[in-house]
Amino acid sequence: MADDPYAQEHFSKLLKKAIEDAKAMFDAPVKQYMMFADFEQDVKARKVPDVPNEFIDESGKHNKHAQAYYGLFKHLFDPSLLEENGLDKDTLVSFAYAIDDVVDKAVAVNSLNPSQMEKDIKVGLLKLLFKAIGTDNAKKLSDEVIRITRHGISRSH
């Protein structure tokens, strides 16, 4: 879950609550098991309440990267910043898929040159986002996208 800080934060809070709830159910091990089994399914599906279902296509394929990029907006920025800049759910979903495209292209073109890949991601995201969230916030988000990309690449090798 290191590639999705927003989901990681959400499930960390839920796990703490689940542990407390499990302590309260000390005499009901079956209920404890069912509660943790449900929790595990939500984690596997990355089921975060305020993340829309647009990241699962008609065939059931889940675009976890685009979902993570969507979550970055909520993880990094105050809701008032998003609201002031007109970044509603649909706009954030569009940006998440656009970020995914920028990353996919940079990885495909520069798979043997990680520093150029990161540069292409930064430039692409600055062009994409600076009008919507400003240069400093676009840099902040691009740094996190690069961290997620590094993590994904290190896991695929």
Side-chain angles (χ1 to χ4, degrees):
M1 188 95 25
D3 63 339
D4 190 344
Y6 188 64
Q8 185 177 27
E9 178 182 14
H10 170 75
F11 288 116
S12 175
K13 289 176 186 174
L14 282 182
L15 181 59
K16 288 176 185 171
K17 184 183 179 323
I19 291 169
E20 289 303 313
D21 291 348
K23 287 178 185 176
M25 292 185 246
F26 182 76
D27 293 331
V30 173
K31 286 183 181 180
Q32 288 176 329
Y33 173 79
M34 290 173 51
M35 180 185 65
F36 282 114
D38 290 344
F39 178 77
E40 180 183 20
Q41 290 304 313
D42 288 349
V43 170
K44 283 182 181 177
R46 292 193 186 197
K47 189 175 175 183
V48 180
D50 60 343
V51 173
N53 290 330
E54 280 86 348
F55 301 108
I56 301 173
D57 68 15
E58 302 83 37
S59 69
K61 187 174 185 227
H62 188 175
N63 187 329
K64 292 179 182 177
H65 290 127
Q67 180 176 331
Y69 304 143
Y70 176 91
L72 281 179
F73 284 96
K74 300 213 173 240
H75 180 71
L76 296 174
F77 307 121
D78 191 77
S80 62
L81 176 107
L82 300 176
E83 189 177 315
E84 289 167 12
N85 291 298
L87 300 175
D88 60 8
K89 177 188 74 112
D90 293 335
T91 305
L92 292 178
V93 168
S94 294
F95 273 132
Y97 277 109
I99 291 168
D100 194 41
D101 287 341
V102 168
V103 171
D104 285 348
K105 288 175 187 168
V107 170
V109 171
N110 301 295
S111 61
L112 299 176
N113 187 347
S115 62
Q116 185 62 45
M117 177 180 26
E118 291 178 11
K119 182 179 177 186
D120 287 358
I121 291 170
K122 279 188 184 204
V123 170
L125 295 186
L126 285 174
K127 286 179 184 178
L128 177 68
L129 299 169
F130 83 95
K131 285 184 182 177
I133 58 176
T135 304
D136 289 341
N137 288 329
K139 286 179 182 177
K140 186 177 180 179
L141 192 128
S142 71
D143 288 343
E144 283 298 311
V145 169
I146 288 169
R147 189 188 63 69
I148 288 170
T149 304
R150 283 181 190 147
H151 181 76
I153 291 171
S154 70
R155 291 187 71 190
S156 65
H157 293 299

